[in-house]
Amino acid sequence: MAEIKDQTVAGRVDLDGNTYVNVVFENAALHYSGGQAPNFQNVTFTPSCSVTFAEQAGNTLAFLRSMAHDSSGMRFIVDGLMPEVAAKR
C-alpha cells in the first residue's frame, strides 16, 4: 500500500496496509478494518487521536473481549496472546 513519511496527519486515516515513517498523528481518527497490519516507525500520537476497529478487526476485538470476561473461563488465553498487556493490569 502507501508509505506516508515526514508529515503531520489529521482527520480520518485508514491504516490497513500502510507504512508510517516520522509521522505525527494529530486529531486523527485512526481506522483499522483487519487487513494487512500497518507499520509504524518513529511516530507520535497526540491524546486527541482515536482508534476504530471495523469489519474483521471489530469482529476479532469483540471475540477477544468475550474471551477476556472473567466468567468465560478463557481469560488466560487472552493474557497468553498479549502478555505485555496482561502484565500491566
Side-chain angles (χ1 to χ4, degrees):
M1 294 293 264
E3 181 177 286
I4 295 81
K5 191 173 184 179
D6 301 324
Q7 55 186 287
T8 297
V9 178
R12 181 184 164 121
V13 180
D14 292 316
L15 297 172
D16 294 54
N18 294 328
T19 297
Y20 301 89
V21 181
N22 303 323
V23 170
V24 175
F25 291 94
E26 187 173 306
N27 298 317
L30 307 172
H31 185 86
Y32 180 61
S33 297
Q36 182 179 354
N39 184 6
F40 300 106
Q41 300 171 23
N42 193 37
V43 300
T44 302
F45 299 91
T46 64
S48 59
C49 292
S50 63
V51 179
T52 302
F53 296 92
E55 301 171 30
Q56 295 95 327
N59 293 339
T60 300
L61 188 57
F63 176 62
L64 289 170
R65 282 184 175 146
S66 71
M67 289 175 56
H69 194 275
D70 289 333
S71 66
S72 75
M74 297 177 9
R75 183 173 199 119
F76 72 96
I77 294 172
V78 177
D79 289 347
L81 290 171
M82 297 177 282
E84 62 279 355
V85 174
K88 293 181 180 181
R89 277 192 269 144

